[in-house]
Amino acid sequence: MARGGRQGQGEPVDWVTRAADDAVRHAGEGNLVTVASGASPSGPIHLGNLREFITPHFVAEELRRRGEPVRHLHSWDDFDRFRKVPAGVPAEWADHIGRPLTAVPDPWECHPSWAEHFKAPLQDALRELGVEMEEISQTEMYTSGAYRQQVLEAVARRDDIEAVLAKHRTKKVSAGEDASAQEAADLADSVANEDADEATAGGSPDSIARFPYRPYCRECGRDTVTTTAYDEATTTLSYTCSSCGHDGTTDLSSDNDGKLVWKVDWPMRWAYEKVNFEPAGRDHMTPGSSYTVGTEIAPSIFDWRAPARVIYAFVGFAGVQKMSSSAGGVPTATDALRILEAPMLRWLYVRRAPTQAFDIDFGPAVVRLYDEWDALGRKAADPAKADVATLAWHRASETASAGRLPTPAVPVPFRTLSSVADVTAGSAELISRIVESSGFPHDSVADLEPRLSKAMQWTVEHVPSDERTTVRETPDTERLASLSEDEELWLRIFLDRLPEDGDLDAVTSVVYGVPKVARGLGFEDAPTDQVKADQKDFFRLLYNLLVDADRGPRLPTLVLALGPEKVRRLLGA
């Protein structure tokens, strides 16, 4: 990719280019550009959530490429409340509902808190993906008093904020408005959660006006409080907790035991961090939801124009509806990186505009995906063929600081590696030997990584057991005793010509040549129609005797994987 300045005339332009232009316009030429992301570590951060992180990453990378000053700031919303106990977690964790995620213990006892348990695996995956961020914890920001002046300003102007919120409360997304039925349901849930946050923050409509700030109870640590009074002169907020019955107070000028409600918190952070670009899912962009409300609150209360943004659509998983991190059991970036090279996973997100929904399939489609990726890589190597597709390949393959992300020194087709892994029971050394004889010379197994390990993992995790190749342990004596005259001849010729230390080409020649020789032809002669029919029957016979199936991996590869000694034994030599 060309370095420095905006892409030259005639160079391809994609969604990243346009988003970077928007971010620079918002910041002003020569100023630091802040691209932002945010996520709540309330559960597994799945492949749908990954769009929140990777979208601003690509924009930041484009700005670094141009030489623009830029930072990718990520906020962990770990001061959010613990909402519900998911499946697989002890029922007694219900006692923590309403407490900050950083105050909820890790039920698996491997991290300091619930929040850290779900942050850690994604942080590891992002490092592998080459995503660099400046991370901040909202627990640390609020409890340190970093936002104290912004909190006091929001509370002082709560009537102005309430006027904006009230205006938008009636603007709900309908089931048919820019969303599928499933998306509409998710959007409705999101809006309901945001409205619930607002309602609880101020108590019932019969108490004082809805309050933009919610403290955590000093007695039980939950946010199940109703604001009962606020003293403007002393900035003292009084509340009653419905969980423990505690009547308490908090001084907003000195205490740091609460947070702004989400629809006020988000625009406040835009202003505090001077955010110029931030993506968001559709649930934050619909009428009456967070972004639309924030676009009014940010300039009127916090003196900051809402950042440039892109709306991203949902990511699904084959056979599963739109992913929900609170539900669990959905694939994460860690899961994907077990079978996809890091540049490939990046490519899935950069090759499409964020507004495009897509599904990820870890089944047979993975083989085709690797083929497509390899073909695109060959195209991208030719500058004369540069287009939007090759631009996506380059964006996926390298970062400004790390350069090229890890790829195999010898890129063997994934279908070859997975097929060999299947019949060798995952022996890396044996796979290496077969790959070498298949026309992919290499110095060591390391030259095949990381693809080899991912192919082996995919074979174990995602190829159904009934589709796996099971090599016979002993000869099928019954089938061998019932061979036809033609079958006996085929096996005699095959065993006679089978090379002891052959390469793939030699074994392939024998496998395909046996029926030719049986019909009086030479190995190099073109097959007749009769020979083609014999080849099908001969191949089926070999599969029956070697793996107890009518078909399987390519026969030359299978024969090499098993080795001549085992093949001869199973064929009754």
Side-chain angles (χ1 to χ4, degrees), residues 138-163:
Q138 288 306 309
T139 296
E140 293 176 7
M141 295 299 286
Y142 270 108
T143 58
S144 69
Y147 300 143
R148 181 171 294 128
Q149 291 307 313
Q150 288 72 19
V151 167
L152 290 170
E153 180 68 14
V155 169
R157 301 190 59 187
R158 59 189 179 277
D159 290 341
D160 297 331
I161 291 173
E162 171 57 21

PDB file of all heavy atoms in Angstrom, residues 138-163:
ATOM      1  N   GLN A 138     -13.888   2.181  32.717  1.00  0.00           N
ATOM      2  CA  GLN A 138     -14.848   3.150  33.233  1.00  0.00           C
ATOM      3  C   GLN A 138     -14.980   3.065  34.746  1.00  0.00           C
ATOM      4  O   GLN A 138     -15.311   4.051  35.412  1.00  0.00           O
ATOM      5  CB  GLN A 138     -16.202   2.965  32.547  1.00  0.00           C
ATOM      6  CG  GLN A 138     -16.212   3.424  31.095  1.00  0.00           C
ATOM      7  CD  GLN A 138     -15.736   4.861  30.944  1.00  0.00           C
ATOM      8  OE1 GLN A 138     -16.205   5.760  31.621  1.00  0.00           O
ATOM      9  NE2 GLN A 138     -14.773   5.072  30.040  1.00  0.00           N
ATOM     10  N   THR A 139     -14.696   1.902  35.314  1.00  0.00           N
ATOM     11  CA  THR A 139     -14.648   1.810  36.786  1.00  0.00           C
ATOM     12  C   THR A 139     -13.578   2.756  37.322  1.00  0.00           C
ATOM     13  O   THR A 139     -13.808   3.534  38.253  1.00  0.00           O
ATOM     14  CB  THR A 139     -14.349   0.372  37.231  1.00  0.00           C
ATOM     15  OG1 THR A 139     -15.419  -0.485  36.819  1.00  0.00           O
ATOM     16  CG2 THR A 139     -14.214   0.290  38.750  1.00  0.00           C
ATOM     17  N   GLU A 140     -12.393   2.688  36.705  1.00  0.00           N
ATOM     18  CA  GLU A 140     -11.293   3.536  37.168  1.00  0.00           C
ATOM     19  C   GLU A 140     -11.587   5.009  36.917  1.00  0.00           C
ATOM     20  O   GLU A 140     -11.279   5.864  37.753  1.00  0.00           O
ATOM     21  CB  GLU A 140     -10.000   3.120  36.470  1.00  0.00           C
ATOM     22  CG  GLU A 140      -9.527   1.729  36.870  1.00  0.00           C
ATOM     23  CD  GLU A 140      -8.292   1.298  36.087  1.00  0.00           C
ATOM     24  OE1 GLU A 140      -7.732   2.132  35.333  1.00  0.00           O
ATOM     25  OE2 GLU A 140      -7.895   0.127  36.233  1.00  0.00           O
ATOM     26  N   MET A 141     -12.196   5.314  35.778  1.00  0.00           N
ATOM     27  CA  MET A 141     -12.486   6.715  35.457  1.00  0.00           C
ATOM     28  C   MET A 141     -13.484   7.310  36.445  1.00  0.00           C
ATOM     29  O   MET A 141     -13.286   8.411  36.972  1.00  0.00           O
ATOM     30  CB  MET A 141     -13.006   6.830  34.031  1.00  0.00           C
ATOM     31  CG  MET A 141     -11.992   6.440  32.966  1.00  0.00           C
ATOM     32  SD  MET A 141     -10.503   7.473  32.959  1.00  0.00           S
ATOM     33  CE  MET A 141     -11.168   8.985  32.242  1.00  0.00           C
ATOM     34  N   TYR A 142     -14.566   6.595  36.701  1.00  0.00           N
ATOM     35  CA  TYR A 142     -15.585   7.131  37.616  1.00  0.00           C
ATOM     36  C   TYR A 142     -15.097   7.157  39.062  1.00  0.00           C
ATOM     37  O   TYR A 142     -15.279   8.147  39.777  1.00  0.00           O
ATOM     38  CB  TYR A 142     -16.872   6.313  37.501  1.00  0.00           C
ATOM     39  CG  TYR A 142     -17.832   6.851  36.463  1.00  0.00           C
ATOM     40  CD1 TYR A 142     -18.028   6.184  35.260  1.00  0.00           C
ATOM     41  CD2 TYR A 142     -18.544   8.022  36.671  1.00  0.00           C
ATOM     42  CE1 TYR A 142     -18.908   6.675  34.293  1.00  0.00           C
ATOM     43  CE2 TYR A 142     -19.418   8.535  35.728  1.00  0.00           C
ATOM     44  CZ  TYR A 142     -19.605   7.852  34.536  1.00  0.00           C
ATOM     45  OH  TYR A 142     -20.468   8.349  33.589  1.00  0.00           O
ATOM     46  N   THR A 143     -14.477   6.068  39.519  1.00  0.00           N
ATOM     47  CA  THR A 143     -14.091   6.015  40.936  1.00  0.00           C
ATOM     48  C   THR A 143     -12.907   6.925  41.247  1.00  0.00           C
ATOM     49  O   THR A 143     -12.656   7.248  42.409  1.00  0.00           O
ATOM     50  CB  THR A 143     -13.761   4.568  41.358  1.00  0.00           C
ATOM     51  OG1 THR A 143     -12.709   4.049  40.531  1.00  0.00           O
ATOM     52  CG2 THR A 143     -14.989   3.678  41.229  1.00  0.00           C
ATOM     53  N   SER A 144     -12.158   7.348  40.226  1.00  0.00           N
ATOM     54  CA  SER A 144     -11.055   8.288  40.456  1.00  0.00           C
ATOM     55  C   SER A 144     -11.535   9.731  40.472  1.00  0.00           C
ATOM     56  O   SER A 144     -10.766  10.639  40.799  1.00  0.00           O
ATOM     57  CB  SER A 144      -9.997   8.119  39.361  1.00  0.00           C
ATOM     58  OG  SER A 144     -10.501   8.572  38.111  1.00  0.00           O
ATOM     59  N   GLY A 145     -12.794   9.949  40.090  1.00  0.00           N
ATOM     60  CA  GLY A 145     -13.318  11.306  40.040  1.00  0.00           C
ATOM     61  C   GLY A 145     -12.990  12.037  38.759  1.00  0.00           C
ATOM     62  O   GLY A 145     -13.171  13.261  38.675  1.00  0.00           O
ATOM     63  N   ALA A 146     -12.505  11.309  37.735  1.00  0.00           N
ATOM     64  CA  ALA A 146     -12.116  11.954  36.477  1.00  0.00           C
ATOM     65  C   ALA A 146     -13.273  12.726  35.843  1.00  0.00           C
ATOM     66  O   ALA A 146     -13.067  13.756  35.206  1.00  0.00           O
ATOM     67  CB  ALA A 146     -11.581  10.903  35.505  1.00  0.00           C
ATOM     68  N   TYR A 147     -14.500  12.211  36.023  1.00  0.00           N
ATOM     69  CA  TYR A 147     -15.660  12.837  35.389  1.00  0.00           C
ATOM     70  C   TYR A 147     -16.456  13.743  36.345  1.00  0.00           C
ATOM     71  O   TYR A 147     -17.591  14.087  36.057  1.00  0.00           O
ATOM     72  CB  TYR A 147     -16.609  11.755  34.864  1.00  0.00           C
ATOM     73  CG  TYR A 147     -16.033  10.819  33.826  1.00  0.00           C
ATOM     74  CD1 TYR A 147     -16.381   9.467  33.827  1.00  0.00           C
ATOM     75  CD2 TYR A 147     -15.174  11.272  32.833  1.00  0.00           C
ATOM     76  CE1 TYR A 147     -15.883   8.598  32.865  1.00  0.00           C
ATOM     77  CE2 TYR A 147     -14.675  10.411  31.872  1.00  0.00           C
ATOM     78  CZ  TYR A 147     -15.027   9.064  31.898  1.00  0.00           C
ATOM     79  OH  TYR A 147     -14.539   8.212  30.947  1.00  0.00           O
ATOM     80  N   ARG A 148     -15.877  14.117  37.467  1.00  0.00           N
ATOM     81  CA  ARG A 148     -16.671  14.807  38.486  1.00  0.00           C
ATOM     82  C   ARG A 148     -17.308  16.096  37.950  1.00  0.00           C
ATOM     83  O   ARG A 148     -18.498  16.344  38.167  1.00  0.00           O
ATOM     84  CB  ARG A 148     -15.807  15.136  39.708  1.00  0.00           C
ATOM     85  CG  ARG A 148     -16.603  15.831  40.827  1.00  0.00           C
ATOM     86  CD  ARG A 148     -15.796  15.937  42.099  1.00  0.00           C
ATOM     87  NE  ARG A 148     -15.544  14.608  42.635  1.00  0.00           N
ATOM     88  CZ  ARG A 148     -14.327  14.149  42.968  1.00  0.00           C
ATOM     89  NH1 ARG A 148     -13.262  14.918  42.805  1.00  0.00           N
ATOM     90  NH2 ARG A 148     -14.185  12.940  43.465  1.00  0.00           N
ATOM     91  N   GLN A 149     -16.542  16.907  37.242  1.00  0.00           N
ATOM     92  CA  GLN A 149     -17.108  18.156  36.736  1.00  0.00           C
ATOM     93  C   GLN A 149     -18.212  17.902  35.713  1.00  0.00           C
ATOM     94  O   GLN A 149     -19.214  18.617  35.673  1.00  0.00           O
ATOM     95  CB  GLN A 149     -15.992  19.015  36.108  1.00  0.00           C
ATOM     96  CG  GLN A 149     -14.996  19.559  37.127  1.00  0.00           C
ATOM     97  CD  GLN A 149     -15.698  20.314  38.268  1.00  0.00           C
ATOM     98  OE1 GLN A 149     -16.573  21.155  38.036  1.00  0.00           O
ATOM     99  NE2 GLN A 149     -15.320  19.995  39.506  1.00  0.00           N
ATOM    100  N   GLN A 150     -18.032  16.868  34.907  1.00  0.00           N
ATOM    101  CA  GLN A 150     -19.051  16.533  33.915  1.00  0.00           C
ATOM    102  C   GLN A 150     -20.327  16.023  34.597  1.00  0.00           C
ATOM    103  O   GLN A 150     -21.439  16.333  34.148  1.00  0.00           O
ATOM    104  CB  GLN A 150     -18.519  15.470  32.945  1.00  0.00           C
ATOM    105  CG  GLN A 150     -17.471  15.974  31.957  1.00  0.00           C
ATOM    106  CD  GLN A 150     -16.121  16.257  32.600  1.00  0.00           C
ATOM    107  OE1 GLN A 150     -15.809  15.782  33.688  1.00  0.00           O
ATOM    108  NE2 GLN A 150     -15.307  17.050  31.910  1.00  0.00           N
ATOM    109  N   VAL A 151     -20.165  15.261  35.676  1.00  0.00           N
ATOM    110  CA  VAL A 151     -21.327  14.782  36.433  1.00  0.00           C
ATOM    111  C   VAL A 151     -22.087  15.959  37.033  1.00  0.00           C
ATOM    112  O   VAL A 151     -23.319  16.049  36.933  1.00  0.00           O
ATOM    113  CB  VAL A 151     -20.889  13.790  37.538  1.00  0.00           C
ATOM    114  CG1 VAL A 151     -22.037  13.538  38.519  1.00  0.00           C
ATOM    115  CG2 VAL A 151     -20.416  12.475  36.922  1.00  0.00           C
ATOM    116  N   LEU A 152     -21.366  16.882  37.656  1.00  0.00           N
ATOM    117  CA  LEU A 152     -22.014  18.039  38.263  1.00  0.00           C
ATOM    118  C   LEU A 152     -22.729  18.893  37.216  1.00  0.00           C
ATOM    119  O   LEU A 152     -23.826  19.408  37.457  1.00  0.00           O
ATOM    120  CB  LEU A 152     -20.979  18.888  39.014  1.00  0.00           C
ATOM    121  CG  LEU A 152     -20.411  18.252  40.298  1.00  0.00           C
ATOM    122  CD1 LEU A 152     -19.233  19.062  40.828  1.00  0.00           C
ATOM    123  CD2 LEU A 152     -21.506  18.132  41.370  1.00  0.00           C
ATOM    124  N   GLU A 153     -22.114  19.015  36.039  1.00  0.00           N
ATOM    125  CA  GLU A 153     -22.743  19.791  34.964  1.00  0.00           C
ATOM    126  C   GLU A 153     -24.031  19.105  34.499  1.00  0.00           C
ATOM    127  O   GLU A 153     -25.060  19.772  34.280  1.00  0.00           O
ATOM    128  CB  GLU A 153     -21.771  19.930  33.788  1.00  0.00           C
ATOM    129  CG  GLU A 153     -22.312  20.709  32.599  1.00  0.00           C
ATOM    130  CD  GLU A 153     -22.525  22.189  32.882  1.00  0.00           C
ATOM    131  OE1 GLU A 153     -22.001  22.686  33.915  1.00  0.00           O
ATOM    132  OE2 GLU A 153     -23.200  22.864  32.086  1.00  0.00           O
ATOM    133  N   ALA A 154     -23.985  17.794  34.345  1.00  0.00           N
ATOM    134  CA  ALA A 154     -25.174  17.063  33.899  1.00  0.00           C
ATOM    135  C   ALA A 154     -26.299  17.170  34.926  1.00  0.00           C
ATOM    136  O   ALA A 154     -27.475  17.358  34.565  1.00  0.00           O
ATOM    137  CB  ALA A 154     -24.822  15.598  33.649  1.00  0.00           C
ATOM    138  N   VAL A 155     -25.945  17.061  36.207  1.00  0.00           N
ATOM    139  CA  VAL A 155     -26.966  17.153  37.252  1.00  0.00           C
ATOM    140  C   VAL A 155     -27.547  18.571  37.321  1.00  0.00           C
ATOM    141  O   VAL A 155     -28.756  18.763  37.464  1.00  0.00           O
ATOM    142  CB  VAL A 155     -26.373  16.720  38.611  1.00  0.00           C
ATOM    143  CG1 VAL A 155     -27.328  17.061  39.753  1.00  0.00           C
ATOM    144  CG2 VAL A 155     -26.073  15.222  38.599  1.00  0.00           C
ATOM    145  N   ALA A 156     -26.672  19.584  37.199  1.00  0.00           N
ATOM    146  CA  ALA A 156     -27.152  20.969  37.242  1.00  0.00           C
ATOM    147  C   ALA A 156     -28.109  21.253  36.079  1.00  0.00           C
ATOM    148  O   ALA A 156     -29.040  22.053  36.218  1.00  0.00           O
ATOM    149  CB  ALA A 156     -25.962  21.930  37.211  1.00  0.00           C
ATOM    150  N   ARG A 157     -27.900  20.573  34.973  1.00  0.00           N
ATOM    151  CA  ARG A 157     -28.728  20.829  33.793  1.00  0.00           C
ATOM    152  C   ARG A 157     -29.653  19.641  33.498  1.00  0.00           C
ATOM    153  O   ARG A 157     -29.990  19.379  32.355  1.00  0.00           O
ATOM    154  CB  ARG A 157     -27.820  21.130  32.600  1.00  0.00           C
ATOM    155  CG  ARG A 157     -26.924  22.348  32.845  1.00  0.00           C
ATOM    156  CD  ARG A 157     -26.222  22.776  31.585  1.00  0.00           C
ATOM    157  NE  ARG A 157     -27.171  23.105  30.524  1.00  0.00           N
ATOM    158  CZ  ARG A 157     -26.806  23.384  29.276  1.00  0.00           C
ATOM    159  NH1 ARG A 157     -25.520  23.365  28.940  1.00  0.00           N
ATOM    160  NH2 ARG A 157     -27.715  23.666  28.354  1.00  0.00           N
ATOM    161  N   ARG A 158     -30.075  18.989  34.562  1.00  0.00           N
ATOM    162  CA  ARG A 158     -30.913  17.791  34.391  1.00  0.00           C
ATOM    163  C   ARG A 158     -32.255  18.103  33.728  1.00  0.00           C
ATOM    164  O   ARG A 158     -32.805  17.259  33.028  1.00  0.00           O
ATOM    165  CB  ARG A 158     -31.112  17.083  35.729  1.00  0.00           C
ATOM    166  CG  ARG A 158     -31.779  17.922  36.826  1.00  0.00           C
ATOM    167  CD  ARG A 158     -31.715  17.162  38.152  1.00  0.00           C
ATOM    168  NE  ARG A 158     -32.320  17.910  39.251  1.00  0.00           N
ATOM    169  CZ  ARG A 158     -31.678  18.850  39.933  1.00  0.00           C
ATOM    170  NH1 ARG A 158     -30.435  19.183  39.616  1.00  0.00           N
ATOM    171  NH2 ARG A 158     -32.283  19.469  40.942  1.00  0.00           N
ATOM    172  N   ASP A 159     -32.772  19.293  33.936  1.00  0.00           N
ATOM    173  CA  ASP A 159     -34.041  19.631  33.295  1.00  0.00           C
ATOM    174  C   ASP A 159     -33.871  19.728  31.780  1.00  0.00           C
ATOM    175  O   ASP A 159     -34.736  19.283  31.017  1.00  0.00           O
ATOM    176  CB  ASP A 159     -34.593  20.948  33.846  1.00  0.00           C
ATOM    177  CG  ASP A 159     -35.061  20.813  35.290  1.00  0.00           C
ATOM    178  OD1 ASP A 159     -35.286  19.658  35.724  1.00  0.00           O
ATOM    179  OD2 ASP A 159     -35.184  21.848  35.975  1.00  0.00           O
ATOM    180  N   ASP A 160     -32.750  20.287  31.339  1.00  0.00           N
ATOM    181  CA  ASP A 160     -32.479  20.364  29.896  1.00  0.00           C
ATOM    182  C   ASP A 160     -32.288  18.959  29.314  1.00  0.00           C
ATOM    183  O   ASP A 160     -32.767  18.659  28.211  1.00  0.00           O
ATOM    184  CB  ASP A 160     -31.221  21.197  29.635  1.00  0.00           C
ATOM    185  CG  ASP A 160     -31.379  22.647  30.077  1.00  0.00           C
ATOM    186  OD1 ASP A 160     -32.528  23.147  30.058  1.00  0.00           O
ATOM    187  OD2 ASP A 160     -30.366  23.278  30.428  1.00  0.00           O
ATOM    188  N   ILE A 161     -31.581  18.117  30.064  1.00  0.00           N
ATOM    189  CA  ILE A 161     -31.368  16.741  29.612  1.00  0.00           C
ATOM    190  C   ILE A 161     -32.690  15.993  29.545  1.00  0.00           C
ATOM    191  O   ILE A 161     -32.984  15.287  28.583  1.00  0.00           O
ATOM    192  CB  ILE A 161     -30.371  16.015  30.536  1.00  0.00           C
ATOM    193  CG1 ILE A 161     -28.969  16.601  30.368  1.00  0.00           C
ATOM    194  CG2 ILE A 161     -30.368  14.511  30.277  1.00  0.00           C
ATOM    195  CD1 ILE A 161     -27.945  16.069  31.341  1.00  0.00           C
ATOM    196  N   GLU A 162     -33.518  16.163  30.565  1.00  0.00           N
ATOM    197  CA  GLU A 162     -34.813  15.485  30.603  1.00  0.00           C
ATOM    198  C   GLU A 162     -35.686  15.917  29.424  1.00  0.00           C
ATOM    199  O   GLU A 162     -36.420  15.108  28.853  1.00  0.00           O
ATOM    200  CB  GLU A 162     -35.519  15.774  31.926  1.00  0.00           C
ATOM    201  CG  GLU A 162     -36.967  15.312  32.008  1.00  0.00           C
ATOM    202  CD  GLU A 162     -37.158  13.823  31.742  1.00  0.00           C
ATOM    203  OE1 GLU A 162     -36.178  13.053  31.877  1.00  0.00           O
ATOM    204  OE2 GLU A 162     -38.281  13.438  31.384  1.00  0.00           O
ATOM    205  N   ALA A 163     -35.595  17.172  29.035  1.00  0.00           N
ATOM    206  CA  ALA A 163     -36.385  17.643  27.908  1.00  0.00           C
ATOM    207  C   ALA A 163     -35.989  16.914  26.621  1.00  0.00           C
ATOM    208  O   ALA A 163     -36.843  16.548  25.805  1.00  0.00           O
ATOM    209  CB  ALA A 163     -36.205  19.148  27.737  1.00  0.00           C
TER     210      ALA A 163
END
